[in-house]
PDB file of all heavy atoms in Angstrom:
ATOM      1  N   ASN A  38      24.316  12.058  22.796  1.00 91.00           N
ATOM      2  CA  ASN A  38      25.400  11.074  22.706  1.00 91.00           C
ATOM      3  C   ASN A  38      26.654  11.729  22.148  1.00 91.00           C
ATOM      4  O   ASN A  38      26.623  12.272  21.080  1.00 91.00           O
ATOM      5  CB  ASN A  38      24.966   9.894  21.802  1.00 91.00           C
ATOM      6  CG  ASN A  38      25.983   8.758  21.815  1.00 91.00           C
ATOM      7  OD1 ASN A  38      26.154   8.080  22.810  1.00 91.00           O
ATOM      8  ND2 ASN A  38      26.632   8.579  20.674  1.00 91.00           N
ATOM      9  N   TRP A  39      27.746  11.671  22.893  1.00 92.00           N
ATOM     10  CA  TRP A  39      29.033  12.123  22.432  1.00 92.00           C
ATOM     11  C   TRP A  39      29.902  10.905  22.179  1.00 92.00           C
ATOM     12  O   TRP A  39      29.904   9.956  22.975  1.00 92.00           O
ATOM     13  CB  TRP A  39      29.684  13.029  23.470  1.00 92.00           C
ATOM     14  CG  TRP A  39      31.111  13.387  23.111  1.00 92.00           C
ATOM     15  CD1 TRP A  39      31.560  14.394  22.339  1.00 92.00           C
ATOM     16  CD2 TRP A  39      32.300  12.685  23.571  1.00 92.00           C
ATOM     17  NE1 TRP A  39      32.932  14.375  22.248  1.00 92.00           N
ATOM     18  CE2 TRP A  39      33.395  13.321  23.012  1.00 92.00           C
ATOM     19  CE3 TRP A  39      32.514  11.576  24.390  1.00 92.00           C
ATOM     20  CZ2 TRP A  39      34.726  12.931  23.220  1.00 92.00           C
ATOM     21  CZ3 TRP A  39      33.832  11.149  24.607  1.00 92.00           C
ATOM     22  CH2 TRP A  39      34.924  11.839  24.033  1.00 92.00           C
ATOM     23  N   TRP A  93      26.329   4.908  16.792  1.00 51.00           N
ATOM     24  CA  TRP A  93      26.163   3.610  17.442  1.00 51.00           C
ATOM     25  C   TRP A  93      25.118   3.743  18.540  1.00 51.00           C
ATOM     26  O   TRP A  93      25.274   4.484  19.491  1.00 51.00           O
ATOM     27  CB  TRP A  93      27.477   3.172  18.030  1.00 51.00           C
ATOM     28  CG  TRP A  93      27.433   1.761  18.534  1.00 51.00           C
ATOM     29  CD1 TRP A  93      27.543   0.640  17.767  1.00 51.00           C
ATOM     30  CD2 TRP A  93      27.226   1.362  19.876  1.00 51.00           C
ATOM     31  NE1 TRP A  93      27.414  -0.482  18.591  1.00 51.00           N
ATOM     32  CE2 TRP A  93      27.250  -0.053  19.849  1.00 51.00           C
ATOM     33  CE3 TRP A  93      27.078   2.025  21.065  1.00 51.00           C
ATOM     34  CZ2 TRP A  93      27.086  -0.786  21.046  1.00 51.00           C
ATOM     35  CZ3 TRP A  93      26.922   1.271  22.186  1.00 51.00           C
ATOM     36  CH2 TRP A  93      26.922  -0.109  22.165  1.00 51.00           C
ATOM     37  N   LEU A 168      19.879   1.797  25.792  1.00 78.00           N
ATOM     38  CA  LEU A 168      19.240   2.309  27.005  1.00 78.00           C
ATOM     39  C   LEU A 168      17.820   2.802  26.794  1.00 78.00           C
ATOM     40  O   LEU A 168      17.035   2.847  27.739  1.00 78.00           O
ATOM     41  CB  LEU A 168      20.078   3.427  27.616  1.00 78.00           C
ATOM     42  CG  LEU A 168      21.465   3.021  28.132  1.00 78.00           C
ATOM     43  CD1 LEU A 168      22.195   4.207  28.714  1.00 78.00           C
ATOM     44  CD2 LEU A 168      21.325   1.914  29.199  1.00 78.00           C
ATOM     45  N   ASN A 343      27.601  -2.915  33.186  1.00 95.00           N
ATOM     46  CA  ASN A 343      27.620  -4.125  32.359  1.00 95.00           C
ATOM     47  C   ASN A 343      28.907  -4.171  31.605  1.00 95.00           C
ATOM     48  O   ASN A 343      29.432  -3.150  31.125  1.00 95.00           O
ATOM     49  CB  ASN A 343      26.443  -4.115  31.398  1.00 95.00           C
ATOM     50  CG  ASN A 343      25.092  -4.263  32.115  1.00 95.00           C
ATOM     51  OD1 ASN A 343      24.871  -5.295  32.767  1.00 95.00           O
ATOM     52  ND2 ASN A 343      24.230  -3.282  31.976  1.00 95.00           N
ATOM     53  N   LEU A 354      34.204  -4.318  26.435  1.00 95.00           N
ATOM     54  CA  LEU A 354      33.349  -3.126  26.343  1.00 95.00           C
ATOM     55  C   LEU A 354      32.561  -3.021  27.649  1.00 95.00           C
ATOM     56  O   LEU A 354      31.969  -3.981  28.104  1.00 95.00           O
ATOM     57  CB  LEU A 354      32.365  -3.289  25.180  1.00 95.00           C
ATOM     58  CG  LEU A 354      31.520  -2.078  24.805  1.00 95.00           C
ATOM     59  CD1 LEU A 354      32.430  -0.940  24.323  1.00 95.00           C
ATOM     60  CD2 LEU A 354      30.478  -2.355  23.778  1.00 95.00           C
ATOM     61  N   TRP A 355      32.577  -1.820  28.226  1.00 96.00           N
ATOM     62  CA  TRP A 355      31.976  -1.586  29.539  1.00 96.00           C
ATOM     63  C   TRP A 355      30.967  -0.426  29.445  1.00 96.00           C
ATOM     64  O   TRP A 355      31.196   0.572  28.759  1.00 96.00           O
ATOM     65  CB  TRP A 355      33.024  -1.247  30.581  1.00 96.00           C
ATOM     66  CG  TRP A 355      34.049  -2.307  30.710  1.00 96.00           C
ATOM     67  CD1 TRP A 355      35.210  -2.426  30.023  1.00 96.00           C
ATOM     68  CD2 TRP A 355      34.016  -3.436  31.578  1.00 96.00           C
ATOM     69  NE1 TRP A 355      35.912  -3.564  30.385  1.00 96.00           N
ATOM     70  CE2 TRP A 355      35.173  -4.194  31.338  1.00 96.00           C
ATOM     71  CE3 TRP A 355      33.067  -3.878  32.517  1.00 96.00           C
ATOM     72  CZ2 TRP A 355      35.415  -5.387  32.028  1.00 96.00           C
ATOM     73  CZ3 TRP A 355      33.327  -5.066  33.202  1.00 96.00           C
ATOM     74  CH2 TRP A 355      34.500  -5.813  32.953  1.00 96.00           C
ATOM     75  N   GLN A 356      29.849  -0.611  30.139  1.00 95.00           N
ATOM     76  CA  GLN A 356      28.777   0.412  30.136  1.00 95.00           C
ATOM     77  C   GLN A 356      28.362   0.728  31.575  1.00 95.00           C
ATOM     78  O   GLN A 356      27.546   0.015  32.158  1.00 95.00           O
ATOM     79  CB  GLN A 356      27.586  -0.072  29.325  1.00 95.00           C
ATOM     80  CG  GLN A 356      26.453   0.984  29.265  1.00 95.00           C
ATOM     81  CD  GLN A 356      25.124   0.385  28.822  1.00 95.00           C
ATOM     82  OE1 GLN A 356      24.698  -0.634  29.339  1.00 95.00           O
ATOM     83  NE2 GLN A 356      24.498   1.014  27.847  1.00 95.00           N
ATOM     84  N   PRO A 357      28.892   1.785  32.168  1.00 96.00           N
ATOM     85  CA  PRO A 357      28.377   2.247  33.446  1.00 96.00           C
ATOM     86  C   PRO A 357      27.181   3.210  33.233  1.00 96.00           C
ATOM     87  O   PRO A 357      27.219   4.022  32.313  1.00 96.00           O
ATOM     88  CB  PRO A 357      29.568   2.973  34.079  1.00 96.00           C
ATOM     89  CG  PRO A 357      30.366   3.463  32.891  1.00 96.00           C
ATOM     90  CD  PRO A 357      30.124   2.487  31.776  1.00 96.00           C
ATOM     91  N   VAL A 358      26.160   3.060  34.074  1.00 96.00           N
ATOM     92  CA  VAL A 358      24.974   3.894  33.955  1.00 96.00           C
ATOM     93  C   VAL A 358      24.520   4.337  35.342  1.00 96.00           C
ATOM     94  O   VAL A 358      24.472   3.516  36.289  1.00 96.00           O
ATOM     95  CB  VAL A 358      23.810   3.115  33.292  1.00 96.00           C
ATOM     96  CG1 VAL A 358      22.601   4.055  33.126  1.00 96.00           C
ATOM     97  CG2 VAL A 358      24.218   2.561  31.952  1.00 96.00           C
ATOM     98  N   ILE A 359      24.246   5.601  35.501  1.00 97.00           N
ATOM     99  CA  ILE A 359      23.677   6.120  36.746  1.00 97.00           C
ATOM    100  C   ILE A 359      22.267   6.644  36.428  1.00 97.00           C
ATOM    101  O   ILE A 359      22.110   7.555  35.588  1.00 97.00           O
ATOM    102  CB  ILE A 359      24.515   7.248  37.365  1.00 97.00           C
ATOM    103  CG1 ILE A 359      25.898   6.686  37.769  1.00 97.00           C
ATOM    104  CG2 ILE A 359      23.831   7.851  38.555  1.00 97.00           C
ATOM    105  CD1 ILE A 359      26.816   7.736  38.326  1.00 97.00           C
ATOM    106  N   PHE A 371      22.620   8.910  33.067  1.00 97.00           N
ATOM    107  CA  PHE A 371      23.930   9.265  32.517  1.00 97.00           C
ATOM    108  C   PHE A 371      24.705   7.997  32.241  1.00 97.00           C
ATOM    109  O   PHE A 371      24.777   7.107  33.117  1.00 97.00           O
ATOM    110  CB  PHE A 371      24.670  10.153  33.490  1.00 97.00           C
ATOM    111  CG  PHE A 371      24.027  11.484  33.758  1.00 97.00           C
ATOM    112  CD1 PHE A 371      23.163  11.639  34.826  1.00 97.00           C
ATOM    113  CD2 PHE A 371      24.261  12.552  32.918  1.00 97.00           C
ATOM    114  CE1 PHE A 371      22.552  12.850  35.074  1.00 97.00           C
ATOM    115  CE2 PHE A 371      23.629  13.773  33.148  1.00 97.00           C
ATOM    116  CZ  PHE A 371      22.764  13.940  34.242  1.00 97.00           C
ATOM    117  N   TYR A 372      25.294   7.877  31.065  1.00 95.00           N
ATOM    118  CA  TYR A 372      25.968   6.635  30.699  1.00 95.00           C
ATOM    119  C   TYR A 372      27.267   6.916  29.978  1.00 95.00           C
ATOM    120  O   TYR A 372      27.540   8.043  29.516  1.00 95.00           O
ATOM    121  CB  TYR A 372      25.035   5.807  29.803  1.00 95.00           C
ATOM    122  CG  TYR A 372      24.763   6.432  28.458  1.00 95.00           C
ATOM    123  CD1 TYR A 372      25.558   6.171  27.364  1.00 95.00           C
ATOM    124  CD2 TYR A 372      23.671   7.285  28.301  1.00 95.00           C
ATOM    125  CE1 TYR A 372      25.295   6.791  26.135  1.00 95.00           C
ATOM    126  CE2 TYR A 372      23.420   7.886  27.090  1.00 95.00           C
ATOM    127  CZ  TYR A 372      24.228   7.620  26.016  1.00 95.00           C
ATOM    128  OH  TYR A 372      23.954   8.229  24.794  1.00 95.00           O
ATOM    129  N   ALA A 373      28.057   5.869  29.856  1.00 95.00           N
ATOM    130  CA  ALA A 373      29.332   5.943  29.087  1.00 95.00           C
ATOM    131  C   ALA A 373      29.601   4.595  28.459  1.00 95.00           C
ATOM    132  O   ALA A 373      29.085   3.570  28.911  1.00 95.00           O
ATOM    133  CB  ALA A 373      30.491   6.381  30.004  1.00 95.00           C
ATOM    134  N   TRP A 374      30.403   4.634  27.399  1.00 92.00           N
ATOM    135  CA  TRP A 374      30.916   3.390  26.778  1.00 92.00           C
ATOM    136  C   TRP A 374      32.419   3.467  26.815  1.00 92.00           C
ATOM    137  O   TRP A 374      33.046   4.384  26.299  1.00 92.00           O
ATOM    138  CB  TRP A 374      30.418   3.286  25.332  1.00 92.00           C
ATOM    139  CG  TRP A 374      28.992   2.894  25.188  1.00 92.00           C
ATOM    140  CD1 TRP A 374      27.988   3.679  24.786  1.00 92.00           C
ATOM    141  CD2 TRP A 374      28.433   1.607  25.426  1.00 92.00           C
ATOM    142  NE1 TRP A 374      26.779   2.986  24.765  1.00 92.00           N
ATOM    143  CE2 TRP A 374      27.037   1.713  25.132  1.00 92.00           C
ATOM    144  CE3 TRP A 374      28.948   0.388  25.841  1.00 92.00           C
ATOM    145  CZ2 TRP A 374      26.177   0.627  25.285  1.00 92.00           C
ATOM    146  CZ3 TRP A 374      28.096  -0.674  25.979  1.00 92.00           C
ATOM    147  CH2 TRP A 374      26.740  -0.569  25.684  1.00 92.00           C
ATOM    148  N   LEU A 375      33.033   2.439  27.467  1.00 94.00           N
ATOM    149  CA  LEU A 375      34.481   2.385  27.591  1.00 94.00           C
ATOM    150  C   LEU A 375      34.971   1.054  27.014  1.00 94.00           C
ATOM    151  O   LEU A 375      34.333   0.040  27.238  1.00 94.00           O
ATOM    152  CB  LEU A 375      34.897   2.509  29.058  1.00 94.00           C
ATOM    153  CG  LEU A 375      34.290   3.676  29.819  1.00 94.00           C
ATOM    154  CD1 LEU A 375      34.584   3.570  31.307  1.00 94.00           C
ATOM    155  CD2 LEU A 375      34.786   4.996  29.253  1.00 94.00           C
ATOM    156  N   THR A 399      34.392   5.138  21.848  1.00 92.00           N
ATOM    157  CA  THR A 399      34.131   5.415  23.273  1.00 92.00           C
ATOM    158  C   THR A 399      33.171   6.604  23.284  1.00 92.00           C
ATOM    159  O   THR A 399      33.094   7.360  22.315  1.00 92.00           O
ATOM    160  CB  THR A 399      35.419   5.744  24.044  1.00 92.00           C
ATOM    161  OG1 THR A 399      36.081   6.835  23.337  1.00 92.00           O
ATOM    162  CG2 THR A 399      36.345   4.562  24.064  1.00 92.00           C
ATOM    163  N   GLY A 400      32.445   6.751  24.372  1.00 92.00           N
ATOM    164  CA  GLY A 400      31.482   7.848  24.378  1.00 92.00           C
ATOM    165  C   GLY A 400      30.787   7.993  25.712  1.00 92.00           C
ATOM    166  O   GLY A 400      30.992   7.205  26.634  1.00 92.00           O
ATOM    167  N   ALA A 401      29.949   8.984  25.751  1.00 95.00           N
ATOM    168  CA  ALA A 401      29.142   9.255  26.961  1.00 95.00           C
ATOM    169  C   ALA A 401      27.914  10.029  26.522  1.00 95.00           C
ATOM    170  O   ALA A 401      27.812  10.538  25.391  1.00 95.00           O
ATOM    171  CB  ALA A 401      29.941  10.086  27.971  1.00 95.00           C
ATOM    172  N   GLY A 402      26.954  10.086  27.432  1.00 94.00           N
ATOM    173  CA  GLY A 402      25.711  10.818  27.088  1.00 94.00           C
ATOM    174  C   GLY A 402      24.698  10.716  28.213  1.00 94.00           C
ATOM    175  O   GLY A 402      24.994  10.268  29.310  1.00 94.00           O
ATOM    176  N   PHE A 403      23.492  11.146  27.873  1.00 95.00           N
ATOM    177  CA  PHE A 403      22.412  11.022  28.832  1.00 95.00           C
ATOM    178  C   PHE A 403      21.088  10.804  28.104  1.00 95.00           C
ATOM    179  O   PHE A 403      20.963  11.121  26.900  1.00 95.00           O
ATOM    180  CB  PHE A 403      22.292  12.284  29.719  1.00 95.00           C
ATOM    181  CG  PHE A 403      21.886  13.544  28.985  1.00 95.00           C
ATOM    182  CD1 PHE A 403      20.541  13.800  28.735  1.00 95.00           C
ATOM    183  CD2 PHE A 403      22.819  14.442  28.540  1.00 95.00           C
ATOM    184  CE1 PHE A 403      20.170  14.949  28.067  1.00 95.00           C
ATOM    185  CE2 PHE A 403      22.441  15.614  27.887  1.00 95.00           C
ATOM    186  CZ  PHE A 403      21.108  15.851  27.654  1.00 95.00           C
TER     187      PHE A 403
END
Side-chain angles (χ1 to χ4, degrees):
N38 186 69
W39 172 86
W93 189 80
L168 294 180
N343 291 299
L354 188 66
W355 302 90
Q356 182 196 48
V358 182
I359 296 178
F371 296 93
Y372 65 90
W374 285 108
L375 309 171
T399 55
F403 67 83

